[in-house]
Amino acid sequence: MSLNNSSNVFLDSVPGNSNRFQVNVINESHESSASVDNNTDPPHYEETSFGDETQNRFRISFRPGNQECYDNFLQNGETAKTDASFHAYDSHTNTYYLQTFGHNTVDAVPKIEYYRNTGSISGPKVNRPSLLEIHEQLAKNVAVAPGSVDRVANGDGMPGDEEAENKEGEDKAGAVKFGWVKGVLVRCMLNIWGVMLFIRLSWIVGEAGIGLGVLIILLSTMVTSITGLSTSAIATNGFVRGGGAYYLISRSLGPEFGGSIGLIFAFANAVAVAMYVVGFAETVVDLLKESNSMMVDPTNDIRIIGSITVVILLGISVAGMEWEAKAQVILLVILLIAIANFFIGTVIPSNNEKKSRGFFNYQASIFAENFGPSFTKGEGFFSVFAIFFPAATGILAGANISGDLEDPQDAIPRGTMLAIFITTVAYIGVAICVGACVVRDATGSMNDTIISGMNCNGSAACGLGYDFSRCRHEPCQYGLMNNFQVMSMVSGFGPLITAGIFSATLSSALASLVSAPKVFQALCKDNIYKALQFFAKGYGKNNEPLRGYILTFVIAMAFILIAELNTIAPIISNFFLASYALINFSCFHASYAKSPGWRPAYGIYNMWVSLFGAILCCAVMFVINWWAAVITYVIEFFLYIYVTYKKPDVNWGSSTQALSYVSALDNALELTTVEDHVKNFRPQCIVLTGGPMTRPALLDITHAFTKNSGLCICCEVFVGPRKLCVKEMNSGMAKKQAWLIKNKIKAFYAAVAADCFRDGVRSLLQASGLGRMKPNTLVIGYKKNWRKAPLTEIENYVGIIHDAFDFEIGVVIVRISQGFDISQVLQVQDELEKLEQERLALEATIKDNECEEGSGGIRGLFKKASKLNITKPTPKKDSSMNTIQSMHVGEFNQKLVEASTQFKKKQGKGTIDVWWLFDDGGLTLLIPYILTLRKKWKDCKLRIYVGGKINRIEEEKIAMASLLSKFRIKFADIHIIGDINIKPNKESWKVFEEMIEPYRLHESCKDLTTAEKLKRETPWKITDAELEAVKEKSYRQVRLNELLQEHSRAANLIVLSLPVARKGSISDWLYMAWLEILTKNLPPVLLVRGNHKNVLTFYS
């Protein structure tokens, strides 16, 4: 294969290797074609052609096998053409085709850097080109540095990334990372093989027998194996950082479960250090007793030896993970030698002393006798199981240092499962061997042999020449049931078993001493418990939690010196089991949620098996100790409530979120199968607030009657060029929804980009909502500046009311005296906050610069200023901005600010006056009723006003009272207004005429030609014919205002039937004049018009 003028550039390093990466540059010339034809091995490739067909083409072929050569090509292929000679958009030269695919375009090829989190310890995060950058037309005047597009597009870095990468590399250099053997396998084996193996397993076999003893081991292993499988699944579902069980649970179930279990799991590990050290100290004290070398007394000797041991272990841990790992390996070697020593001892012929103590080597009769159970008084299967089960725990020892593993996703599954298998085989092997070699009871007296002629009691020992029958009537000191040092007796060399006990206790203590600070540090880093943030700090290359080590040391010392470990041991075991239960439940929950993000690389798990494991762990907790289980659940529940109440500001994509989504989706789909019923009607509102923070009063009053009962969607319409609108809309989505959450407003935020305001609202009215959760009511603020507004704004405003009615959606128009829009106030506040931040940042920079002696002078100041983003302020295009900047917030209309919060305050005793003039299905009555159920409005009474005949006021009052009682709506009073249809007084009518005067056509005062011309030029104006046709309606609006002034001037809120303007008959300006005169000089008014479908019923 040839390459122009350089045939050996891409040759494989090993000639003849069939697994290689081939690059063919093929000319359209005859020679090149011949060269390709001579290649008898047809390459498997995908051909991609760039540029004109007459130009060269770049072919890449992969053959099965490793891609090392391909990687080398990616790294070194740039040398085919230097950045100095290659323009980013050069696509018409030979060397262009030597660039790797993706380097010729802004579009990026897949790379891991795009998927990392910001601040990832595994490498820098790089932002891929946005869809806008790829989709929009490329600017012709854009200046592209040679090679920069290739580098950025393929994630090779962004400006400033090199410095970050170098710093990251420096930080990681020298950090100790462990593989799966030293990091997980060794730790898990040491933690699982505890002191129980040497001093309690023989007793368990004596009580339960070989058969049930093996069953107890297998049952314990089943719990830990299921937990191991669940741990492996979670650990391989993404990058695992430090924190072990806490990290796995919190990232799966969320901070509530993770934060509660993380604290008790770290505490359990800290106290476990004390338990293991006391076990070690007790063994040493027993040896001192045998040699009469006691220091003070047994209790104080345990304290002295335990304290010294903890200090030594702390020194090993603080010295660094590397020293701790070396110590663990040494302890494992000693432990393995001790176990091997036991198995060797079982085949060494027993002497008379050992026979008198019950050891006869392998005997079928002993195996048969010991196969069944022989429980002593007070013991049973579950009590024996409870004693053994803690010996099977410790499977999370490797996961707890996940942050110190080279590849946690590979190390945790492999090391944990292999450790469970090896330790289980060892436990079963020891149980069977000890059960086949040693009898249950033995006197230890070599004189208890059977003399010929003596009656044999039929026991295995009797058949082997020893009579231990007196053990039935008096306690004996030897045998499986009585002697905890059976393994020392059986072993080839007894002191090695003692060394094994030392190794088991010290290794478990060391593992717990390392695990507790690591888990605690991860918990503190997440800042779930604010008071514990002090312990989040790490030191050195490995980010060692030295503060956590000191805290763990203090806890361990406290329990060694003052605590009753026999009492607290069951609680600690239950703490560990609670962690196992939650890990299993996490695996089940993540699988059950069916989130696409749940795709663990470790596939040997089953969601139902994990659930069974979680239930099994909970059951074992009660088997071990019921009161300890209750205490564990109470503590965990308390911590769960605390974390839930504090609501930590974290988002880990937990399965709880995924299941919430699935549940919401299922409920929404199920809701679509149910027909609407009037009893279940609730206002579901679209509120045209714009940005929710700009019209808080409008949102507050709507939220008052939708909170916890109906849908509320805050909507904003962005009008203008689509590109700019979409960019602005998308950038503010999360911020505005976050504002709603922060202010505890149960509402959604939605926005659309449209060519005009009415089109945007029309889209929202039709497309908002989901299934049955669709808006049925439009809430808008009253357009206070309608007389100064452009014609298009009025047409849009009235038009959206018409559109709502067309879509059979109710309308609520809210009017308050000061208006709703406080965007100017917010603008001033933002500007002042920015100025204050810049001032503080500048002061901090100057202060830091003054504190630095002999550092870079003015240069350092500029460098720091750039980091703090202190730049020369750019001149504002809008001159009004400069005016606003110079003004203080207090100079704005204070009444506007107060009005914006009026619905947040508790409304005192007063009334809500409901002017139910027209029957719209009952929405005009339902909204004020819902308001009276709210805490802020509960002291307000409903007063109902309806129209009626003067001569039938009492009858109509009784009828209305009867109707309201059937609706079960409480009211304070009912008023029948009989004089609505009389003409308003002249002063009021004059105000209305003056209001509409600028918008009248006055065609009757002009000749026909002029009138027709004016109609064509200004079709929006109010004609004399129109005004005369609806004169009675105009009278009614003016008269109603007079009545409202008379009856409801002191009300807290007025709810009034909204007049409907018939399309094509009522001009927009006349309709706005109606609304203006109707609600003029009144308390807050809600103009309500339902869709004329029943929203109230008196049927059950």
Side-chain angles (χ1 to χ4, degrees):
M1 185 175 301
S2 65
L3 185 67
N4 291 351
N5 301 323
S6 182
S7 59
N8 60 346
V9 172
F10 298 111
L11 291 180
D12 295 326
S13 57
V14 181
N17 183 6
S18 60
N19 297 329
R20 59 187 180 178
F21 174 80
Q22 298 177 338
V23 179
N24 301 345
V25 177
I26 304 173
N27 289 325
E28 300 298 335
S29 62
H30 173 76
E31 292 82 6
S32 181
S33 300
S35 175
V36 175
D37 292 338
N38 291 336
N39 189 354
T40 57
D41 182 14
H44 305 281
Y45 61 85
E46 179 180 345
E47 180 176 303
T48 306
S49 179
F50 303 100
D52 198 52
E53 281 298 313
T54 60
Q55 302 296 327
N56 296 337
R57 290 177 300 189
F58 178 38
R59 290 183 178 179
I60 301 177
S61 71
F62 291 90
R63 294 188 179 183
N66 68 63
Q67 297 184 13
E68 182 181 354
C69 296
Y70 168 64
D71 296 333
N72 292 336
F73 174 72
L74 276 182
Q75 296 168 9
N76 303 322
E78 296 288 344
T79 60
K81 187 167 187 178
T82 64
D83 285 345
S85 62
F86 173 68
H87 190 272
Y89 301 103
D90 181 9
S91 60
H92 299 285
T93 61
N94 272 359
T95 51
Y96 164 78
Y97 298 103
L98 302 183
Q99 297 291 325
T100 307
F101 171 74
H103 277 257
N104 60 303
T105 172
V106 176
D107 212 349
V109 297
K111 293 197 73 172
I112 190 173
E113 286 83 358
Y114 297 134
Y115 297 92
R116 287 195 177 107
N117 285 334
T118 304
S120 172
I121 60 173
S122 57
K125 173 179 173 57
V126 176
N127 294 323
R128 69 176 61 81
S130 68
L131 186 61
L132 190 66
E133 292 170 348
I134 297 170
H135 183 237
E136 289 294 328
Q137 186 176 3
L138 191 65
K140 293 182 179 180
N141 60 346
V142 66
V144 183
S148 62
V149 172
D150 293 340
R151 185 168 176 270
V152 173
N154 290 281
D156 297 335
M158 296 292 285
D161 281 349
E162 287 183 12
E163 183 180 345
E165 288 181 26
N166 292 338
K167 185 178 180 182
E168 191 71 35
E170 289 172 7
D171 290 342
K172 292 177 72 176
V176 179
K177 296 291 182 181
F178 302 113
W180 71 275
V181 175
K182 190 184 288 188
V184 181
L185 180 64
V186 171
R187 293 172 187 279
C188 288
M189 288 172 64
L190 284 169
N191 236 25
I192 295 171
W193 278 333
V195 72
M196 194 74 67
L197 174 66
F198 298 102
I199 63 176
R200 286 292 186 275
L201 189 57
S202 57
W203 176 85
I204 288 168
V205 173
E207 289 283 348
I210 296 173
L212 289 182
V214 171
L215 183 62
I216 286 172
I217 295 171
L218 291 176
L219 185 59
S220 303
T221 302
M222 180 171 69
V223 175
T224 56
S225 296
I226 294 173
T227 306
L229 292 173
S230 300
T231 304
S232 301
I234 298 172
T236 57
N237 189 53
F239 183 76
V240 178
R241 295 188 181 179
Y246 159 72
Y247 186 89
L248 298 178
I249 294 170
S250 62
R251 268 51 176 183
S252 295
L253 291 178
E256 294 83 9
F257 281 106
S260 58
I261 202 65
L263 198 59
I264 65 174
F265 185 73
F267 177 76
N269 273 285
V271 178
V273 175
M275 288 197 300
Y276 293 131
V277 168
V278 167
F280 167 78
E282 286 178 348
T283 308
V284 175
V285 169
D286 289 341
L287 294 176
L288 292 176
K289 281 182 183 177
E290 293 176 4
S291 60
N292 294 320
S293 303
M294 298 291 292
M295 290 178 284
V296 185
D297 57 68
T299 303
N300 285 312
D301 283 5
I302 289 174
R303 289 172 177 168
I304 294 169
I305 295 168
S307 299
I308 295 171
T309 306
V310 171
V311 171
I312 294 171
L313 293 177
L314 177 65
I316 295 172
S317 301
V318 172
M321 290 296 294
E322 193 169 8
W323 285 95
E324 188 266 349
K326 290 176 180 177
Q328 293 279 29
V329 171
I330 294 171
L331 292 173
L332 178 62
V333 170
I334 296 172
L335 194 58
L336 290 173
I337 293 173
I339 295 172
N341 176 48
F342 164 76
F343 286 112
I344 292 171
T346 59
V347 297
I348 297 175
S350 178
N351 55 33
N352 290 333
E353 183 184 0
K354 289 185 177 182
K355 285 180 180 180
S356 68
R357 295 182 178 183
F359 173 52
F360 296 94
N361 296 111
Y362 292 104
Q363 300 291 338
S365 58
I366 296 177
F367 180 88
E369 184 179 76
N370 289 342
F371 189 82
S374 180
F375 294 113
T376 56
K377 186 178 180 180
E379 299 294 347
F381 177 82
F382 288 109
S383 65
V384 174
F385 172 79
I387 291 171
F388 173 78
F389 183 80
T393 60
I395 61 172
L396 296 180
N400 286 339
I401 63 161
S402 53
D404 296 295
L405 301 175
E406 287 181 0
D407 185 4
Q409 291 179 293
D410 176 67
I412 291 174
R414 188 186 297 186
T416 303
M417 298 311 298
L418 186 58
I420 292 173
F421 175 75
I422 293 173
T423 53
T424 302
V425 170
Y427 274 128
I428 292 174
V430 171
I432 293 174
C433 289
V434 78
C437 297
V438 184
V439 296
R440 281 192 166 101
D441 295 296
T443 60
S445 173
M446 289 185 287
N447 296 325
D448 288 340
T449 56
I450 295 177
I451 304 171
S452 58
M454 287 182 64
N455 290 329
C456 185
N457 60 8
S459 67
C462 185
L464 295 171
Y466 281 80
D467 181 18
F468 299 139
S469 57
R470 63 189 174 97
C471 292
R472 297 179 181 177
H473 312 292
E474 60 183 65
C476 293
Q477 295 182 356
Y478 298 98
L480 295 176
M481 306 280 279
N482 312 302
N483 183 16
F484 291 152
Q485 303 298 327
V486 167
M487 286 192 69
S488 295
M489 177 189 69
V490 172
S491 65
F493 184 60
L496 280 177
I497 297 298
T498 304
I501 295 173
F502 289 170
S503 174
T505 52
L506 291 177
S507 62
S508 297
L510 192 57
S512 297
L513 185 58
V514 170
S515 297
K518 295 280 185 182
V519 173
F520 194 59
Q521 182 188 34
L523 176 67
C524 296
K525 275 185 175 180
D526 289 334
N527 205 20
I528 292 177
Y529 302 100
K530 305 285 186 184
L532 303 178
Q533 183 67 20
F534 173 79
F535 296 98
K537 184 173 176 57
Y539 297 86
K541 298 291 185 183
N542 264 47
N543 197 31
E544 294 290 347
L546 297 185
R547 295 175 180 178
Y549 281 129
I550 300 300
L551 180 63
T552 304
F553 169 76
V554 170
I555 294 172
M557 285 292 289
F559 280 96
I560 288 172
L561 296 175
I562 64 174
E564 181 61 42
L565 291 179
N566 289 337
T567 303
I568 202 162
I571 300 178
I572 301 308
S573 297
N574 275 283
F575 280 2
F576 285 123
L577 274 167
S579 304
Y580 295 172
L582 276 181
I583 287 175
N584 283 310
F585 184 73
S586 298
C587 184
F588 162 77
H589 200 267
S591 303
Y592 184 74
K594 299 182 181 69
S595 171
W598 173 253
R599 43 183 188 277
Y602 190 84
I604 310 174
Y605 75 96
N606 181 275
M607 59 184 284
W608 300 111
V609 172
S610 294
L611 179 62
F612 173 71
I615 296 171
L616 202 58
C617 288
C618 295
V620 171
M621 289 173 68
F622 283 94
V623 167
I624 290 177
N625 192 301
W626 70 267
W627 59 263
V630 171
I631 291 174
T632 303
Y633 284 124
V634 169
I635 293 173
E636 187 175 335
F637 180 74
F638 171 77
L639 292 173
Y640 178 88
I641 295 298
Y642 174 81
V643 177
T644 304
Y645 175 76
K646 288 296 183 181
K647 291 184 179 178
D649 187 18
V650 294
N651 182 14
W652 295 325
S654 66
S655 59
T656 307
Q657 295 172 333
L659 194 61
S660 298
Y661 175 83
V662 171
S663 300
L665 184 61
D666 290 342
N667 290 334
L669 290 170
E670 187 177 350
L671 199 61
T672 59
T673 63
V674 180
E675 291 294 328
D676 289 331
H677 194 282
V678 62
K679 286 196 297 184
N680 294 324
F681 176 87
R682 57 198 68 215
Q684 303 193 118
C685 300
I686 279 184
V687 196
L688 297 184
T689 58
M693 63 283 291
T694 59
R695 292 176 177 83
L698 180 61
L699 181 55
D700 289 338
I701 188 62
T702 308
H703 188 241
F705 59 82
T706 60
K707 181 182 179 182
N708 296 329
S709 64
L711 179 69
C712 181
I713 307 176
C714 301
C715 296
E716 185 172 9
V717 179
F718 290 87
V719 179
R722 183 187 298 177
K723 179 180 175 180
L724 296 177
C725 288
V726 170
K727 184 177 180 181
E728 183 182 358
M729 179 177 69
N730 292 340
S731 63
M733 280 278 191
K735 178 183 176 183
K736 290 167 184 175
Q737 185 64 54
W739 184 90
L740 292 171
I741 296 170
K742 181 182 177 182
N743 288 272
K744 298 180 180 179
I745 296 174
K746 297 183 178 181
F748 299 96
Y749 172 75
V752 293
D755 294 331
C756 74
F757 180 71
R758 184 176 179 181
D759 287 345
V761 176
R762 190 184 287 127
S763 299
L764 289 167
L765 290 173
Q766 295 179 88
S768 295
L770 188 68
R772 295 289 179 193
M773 293 186 295
K774 290 184 71 68
N776 53 33
T777 306
L778 171 67
V779 181
I780 57 177
Y782 177 70
K783 192 167 184 62
K784 189 179 178 183
N785 66 338
W786 65 276
R787 281 183 271 194
K788 299 178 181 178
L791 172 63
T792 53
E793 288 188 13
I794 301 302
E795 289 177 344
N796 284 333
Y797 185 82
V798 178
I800 63 174
I801 299 174
H802 289 307
D803 293 337
F805 291 148
D806 287 343
F807 298 135
E808 295 188 337
I809 291 175
V811 175
V812 177
I813 301 176
V814 187
R815 180 173 185 178
I816 59 177
S817 58
Q818 299 298 323
F820 294 104
D821 192 355
I822 62 167
S823 56
Q824 282 189 323
V825 176
L826 296 176
Q827 194 175 27
V828 169
Q829 290 176 345
D830 289 343
E831 290 296 328
L832 291 175
E833 284 177 8
K834 288 178 183 178
L835 289 172
E836 182 65 15
Q837 288 174 0
E838 289 181 5
R839 185 185 66 80
L840 293 173
L842 185 58
E843 286 180 358
T845 305
I846 295 171
K847 185 177 179 181
D848 290 346
N849 188 65
E850 290 174 351
C851 292
E852 285 186 6
E853 295 182 1
S855 62
I858 192 71
R859 218 183 205 176
L861 175 61
F862 283 135
K863 186 176 181 182
K864 288 190 175 180
S866 65
K867 286 182 180 178
L868 291 166
N869 197 23
I870 301 174
T871 57
K872 184 179 179 180
T874 54
K876 309 291 183 183
K877 291 183 179 178
D878 188 358
S879 60
S880 63
M881 273 300 299
N882 293 326
T883 307
I884 293 174
Q885 282 183 351
S886 64
M887 295 176 67
H888 192 272
V889 180
E891 296 176 20
F892 265 87
N893 190 344
Q894 189 61 31
K895 291 183 179 179
L896 177 61
V897 178
E898 291 174 0
S900 68
T901 61
Q902 63 179 304
F903 297 125
K904 293 182 185 294
K905 302 172 185 174
K906 181 175 175 62
Q907 307 294 317
K909 289 186 177 181
T911 63
I912 298 177
D913 288 0
V914 183
W915 290 70
W916 194 15
L917 304 177
F918 305 104
D919 194 332
D920 58 350
L923 186 65
T924 307
L925 189 60
L926 180 62
I927 287 177
Y929 167 73
I930 296 174
L931 285 175
T932 60
L933 302 179
R934 305 305 185 201
K935 188 182 296 185
K936 292 184 177 69
W937 293 88
K938 67 178 182 179
D939 294 332
C940 293
K941 306 298 182 182
L942 291 184
R943 293 194 303 186
I944 312 299
Y945 293 83
V946 293
K949 297 179 181 178
I950 296 177
N951 58 351
R952 287 181 52 85
I953 288 179
E954 288 302 320
E955 291 87 340
E956 292 187 6
K957 189 173 184 178
I958 293 171
M960 179 54 62
S962 174
L963 178 61
L964 293 175
S965 64
K966 288 182 179 180
F967 285 150
R968 301 171 303 283
I969 292 177
K970 295 180 181 180
F971 56 91
D973 201 0
I974 295 176
H975 296 270
I976 306 299
I977 308 299
D979 54 351
I980 293 177
N981 289 326
I982 66 174
K983 287 185 179 181
N985 61 51
K986 293 181 180 179
E987 291 78 8
S988 300
W989 181 249
K990 185 177 181 181
V991 170
F992 177 73
E993 287 184 324
E994 289 175 353
M995 186 184 301
I996 63 173
E997 181 60 31
Y999 316 108
R1000 291 186 62 179
L1001 190 64
H1002 289 296
E1003 77 279 7
S1004 58
C1005 302
K1006 301 176 177 64
D1007 59 83
L1008 186 61
T1009 305
T1010 305
E1012 290 297 328
K1013 182 181 179 183
L1014 287 173
K1015 284 183 182 180
R1016 288 195 301 271
E1017 292 175 351
T1018 54
W1020 51 270
K1021 283 198 171 184
I1022 305 169
T1023 63
D1024 294 340
E1026 175 193 355
L1027 195 59
E1028 186 62 32
V1030 294
K1031 194 169 189 178
E1032 292 298 325
K1033 288 186 177 180
S1034 299
Y1035 281 157
R1036 185 191 304 150
Q1037 313 311 323
V1038 179
R1039 176 59 184 160
L1040 278 172
N1041 182 259
E1042 292 177 349
L1043 293 170
L1044 286 164
Q1045 297 282 354
E1046 178 183 347
H1047 295 280
S1048 299
R1049 182 75 177 171
N1052 294 57
L1053 181 70
I1054 299 172
V1055 181
L1056 174 66
S1057 293
L1058 172 69
V1060 178
R1062 191 176 296 277
K1063 286 195 298 184
S1065 301
I1066 309 296
S1067 63
D1068 296 341
W1069 295 96
L1070 179 59
Y1071 186 62
M1072 291 304 299
W1074 282 359
L1075 300 183
E1076 175 70 24
I1077 197 65
L1078 183 61
T1079 58
K1080 189 178 179 62
N1081 298 327
L1082 290 173
V1085 179
L1086 267 63
L1087 294 164
V1088 181
R1089 175 67 69 157
N1091 61 0
H1092 287 242
K1093 293 181 180 178
N1094 287 351
V1095 300
L1096 295 172
T1097 182
F1098 44 77
Y1099 296 106
S1100 59

